[in-house]
Amino acid sequence: MTKICCIGAGYVGGPTMAVIAHKCPSIEVAVVDISVARITAWNSDQLPIYEPGLDEVVKQCRGKNLFFSTDVEKHVSEADIIFVSVNTPTKTRGLGAGKAADLTYWESAARMIADVSKSDKIVVEKSTVPVKTAEAIERILMHNSKGINFQILSNPEFLAEGTAIQDLFGPDRVLIGGRETTEGQKAIQALKAVYAHWVPEERIICTNLWSAELSKLAANAFLAQRISSVNAMSALCEATGADVSQVSHAVGKDTRIGPKFLNASVGFGGSCFQKDILNLVYICECNGLTEVANYWKQVIKVNDYQKNRFVNRVVSSMFNTVSGKKIAILGFAFKKDTGDTRETPAIDVCNGLLGDKACLSIYDPQVTEDQIQRDLSMKKFDWDHPVHLQPMSPTSVKQVTVVWDAYEAAKDAHGLCILTEWDEFKTLDYQRIFDNMQKPAFVFDGRNVVNVEKLREIGFIVYSIGKPLDPWLKDMPAMA
């Protein structure tokens, strides 16, 4: 019986291994993590992450051929294939701070694998890592190998949160990169055989190690670039009276471009886009490719510009001050159908408003108060380190209350900001919300989910990203 072990029970490791166990009943899969709390949650009825369809898959396999354990060394030493799915945060200090990936967790995982292994292993990079990480890992394993053979593969994940289980069941492609040696090719075939249980062969792409590592960074950079492109257009639309939805619809009809990832918004978030682009920038700089680095930096700059622009719209519309005013924030996760707040634009928008002394009342159907308070008081890259290394109890931000209902959030508020495109925000009773708000009542739609005409009929002053401006906003400066 093939045994697979995955180090790291997070957003990638948990769902990926659950689906492998589900699709390959003949393979024993163990997910290991040093966090007792996290493993306890995976073994309970309340899984540590929210992902549609995940519960069913885990509950079908858990205890049969899917196990969650803190006994890292036992499962690693028994495994034939080891997936490494640990955090690779952006460095906060030292060489490459603010751009380079911090491979501390990766390196300690590699050293531990070398320590406890008694038989040949295939080690698979699952975390998003900078190009050439495999080489570093390979060196650590080789120098500590005690005569054991290790083959390194790169098998980046291409999951979108909110649809991760669907993505795993029917992936666009599975990418496996390995050495172009006989042993390397053999290792590729072994991993390919696992995926071939349910993925058609033509969708399994085999490449060299560097191509696989770089393809992941490139894919995320291209996606983020599309969002920044349409967001840059949204600013021009507002200035000229064009409607960004109509523009992106027309552009997306070109089959060479296609309609996906062309929704203007308050900005992109998530654990990967910014981190991967910073990583790409750093690699380009290290290789002396300054122009290429600057090109990709611009994608992040436009994203930051979009968030600032949104905050400035809110403040300038409301008589140039939000000091002491209650503002409702609907949505805190970086996108709908996930409780994930990593790099969510809501953090920068909320902090921008708090900087002007606003009082925020926040509602998100999937994000806890503890998480929101933590996010608003944390330094930039802290979120990507394990919880026990994050600042202990964050000082809660006094001007922030977290509520469990959109109507409660909006009660007595001067303005309402929609920062996540949860479906429920489309069907709220906006008349009821209007009646309970201070007047003039403002709606700032950062995700273009509301029906602008309807809201204006009710009496709201509405700002929608990239849409023709409300007469009220026309005289207000866009960027203070």
Side-chain angles (χ1 to χ4, degrees):
M1 187 178 196
T2 305
K3 288 192 172 184
I4 289 179
C5 172
C6 174
I7 302 173
Y11 274 96
V12 176
T16 307
M17 294 304 121
V19 169
I20 289 179
H22 178 74
K23 295 289 190 183
C24 312
S26 61
I27 295 178
E28 184 181 299
V29 181
V31 183
V32 297
D33 200 296
I34 53 172
S35 163
V36 177
R38 186 174 273 188
I39 292 297
T40 307
W42 278 110
N43 282 320
S44 73
D45 286 340
Q46 193 64 51
L47 301 184
I49 59 176
Y50 169 72
E51 194 58 60
L54 178 62
D55 269 28
E56 293 79 0
V57 177
V58 169
K59 282 167 189 167
Q60 272 172 31
C61 305
R62 199 169 55 192
K64 294 184 187 126
N65 68 328
L66 175 64
F67 303 92
F68 296 94
S69 167
T70 50
D71 193 345
V72 180
E73 298 187 357
K74 168 185 183 284
H75 289 286
V76 168
S77 71
E78 290 175 1
D80 305 294
I81 301 176
I82 300 164
F83 286 85
V84 183
S85 178
V86 297
N87 294 37
T88 48
T90 306
K91 283 181 79 167
T92 48
R93 52 173 68 115
L95 189 62
K99 285 193 285 254
D102 180 346
L103 298 178
T104 313
Y105 307 117
W106 233 116
E107 186 177 329
S108 57
R111 289 182 185 280
M112 185 269 300
I113 292 169
D115 267 357
V116 306
S117 294
K118 298 178 183 64
S119 56
D120 294 356
K121 310 278 184 214
I122 296 172
V123 178
V124 184
E125 292 179 335
K126 202 71 189 151
S127 329
T128 302
V129 290
V131 188
K132 299 283 186 181
T133 301
E135 199 161 50
I137 301 309
E138 212 167 41
R139 284 187 190 152
I140 292 168
L141 292 171
M142 291 315 168
H143 284 287
N144 296 282
S145 68
K146 307 184 285 256
I148 290 166
N149 279 317
F150 293 103
Q151 282 303 319
I152 311 280
L153 298 178
S154 170
N155 172 220
E157 55 83 19
F158 294 104
L159 305 178
E161 284 181 45
T163 57
I165 299 300
Q166 263 168 277
D167 296 344
L168 284 162
F169 277 179
D172 289 340
R173 77 294 204 194
V174 169
L175 185 56
I176 304 172
R179 284 285 189 198
E180 285 150 324
T181 58
T182 316
E183 288 81 19
Q185 293 303 303
K186 236 190 191 142
I188 290 177
Q189 291 309 315
L191 184 55
K192 188 175 174 179
V194 172
Y195 284 111
H197 279 82
W198 79 98
V199 181
E201 186 151 351
E202 65 275 9
R203 290 199 181 181
I204 303 176
I205 305 169
C206 302
T207 66
N208 74 27
L209 266 174
W210 322 137
S211 300
E213 288 182 329
L214 188 54
S215 297
K216 168 68 179 174
L217 296 184
N220 276 344
F222 277 50
L223 290 171
Q225 179 195 37
R226 280 178 74 104
I227 297 174
S228 281
S229 297
V230 77
N231 281 346
M233 286 298 163
S234 75
L236 184 58
C237 287
E238 288 168 30
T240 55
D243 179 331
V244 76
S245 302
Q246 294 174 350
V247 172
S248 58
H249 180 69
V251 168
K253 280 292 181 199
D254 184 325
T255 51
R256 295 166 304 175
I257 297 171
K260 291 184 176 170
F261 269 68
L262 288 181
N263 293 323
S265 69
V266 63
F268 59 74
S271 62
C272 291
F273 283 180
Q274 175 153 313
K275 183 167 88 174
D276 288 358
I277 294 173
L278 289 171
N279 219 319
L280 194 60
V281 166
Y282 184 66
I283 295 161
C284 293
E285 287 174 348
C286 289
N287 285 290
L289 305 172
T290 314
E291 286 75 12
V292 182
N294 290 341
Y295 175 75
W296 289 111
K297 261 186 208 165
Q298 207 52 42
V299 172
I300 289 180
K301 281 190 180 157
V302 168
N303 196 48
D304 289 339
Y305 162 77
Q306 189 76 343
K307 292 182 280 193
N308 290 336
R309 216 166 64 76
F310 187 84
V311 171
N312 289 335
R313 276 280 185 217
V314 174
V315 177
S316 64
S317 310
M318 296 167 77
F319 312 104
N320 233 358
T321 175
V322 290
S323 180
K325 293 178 182 172
K326 175 175 174 179
I327 295 181
I329 304 288
L330 297 190
F332 198 83
F334 82 90
K335 66 175 183 182
K336 71 174 187 177
D337 294 337
T338 173
D340 194 350
T341 60
R342 293 178 293 180
E343 296 284 355
T344 172
I347 294 174
D348 285 343
V349 171
C350 289
N351 281 332
L353 294 170
L354 289 168
D356 210 307
K357 299 197 170 61
C359 298
L360 305 183
S361 184
I362 304 176
Y363 164 66
D364 187 290
Q366 284 294 336
V367 185
T368 63
E369 173 163 14
D370 179 60
Q371 187 61 51
I372 290 172
Q373 289 287 5
R374 189 186 285 275
D375 285 329
L376 291 178
S377 52
M378 233 187 297
K379 285 200 204 71
K380 197 151 176 58
F381 297 110
D382 275 355
W383 58 267
D384 207 2
H385 291 269
V387 172
H388 66 279
L389 295 178
Q390 289 172 9
M392 265 317 278
S393 56
T395 49
S396 64
V397 183
K398 288 188 188 55
Q399 302 124 283
V400 172
T401 51
V402 177
V403 295
W404 278 105
D405 160 63
Y407 300 105
E408 185 57 37
K411 195 170 175 233
D412 288 327
H414 288 259
L416 179 126
C417 300
I418 300 173
L419 301 184
T420 312
E421 70 282 18
W422 287 102
D423 292 335
E424 66 184 75
F425 299 157
K426 293 176 185 166
T427 54
L428 292 170
D429 178 348
Y430 281 99
Q431 183 66 57
R432 176 181 160 192
I433 287 176
F434 180 79
D435 294 342
N436 288 313
M437 279 175 72
Q438 301 280 341
K439 309 296 178 296
F442 296 86
V443 169
F444 303 94
D445 184 0
R447 296 286 179 173
N448 288 348
V449 295
V450 300
N451 180 327
V452 177
E453 295 315 309
K454 267 205 178 115
L455 262 58
R456 286 192 181 134
E457 277 165 26
I458 290 171
F460 284 106
I461 294 161
V462 184
Y463 165 67
S464 238
I465 284 184
K467 304 277 184 158
L469 291 178
D470 198 297
W472 177 283
L473 301 166
K474 279 220 170 79
D475 313 321
M476 307 282 182
M479 281 300 276

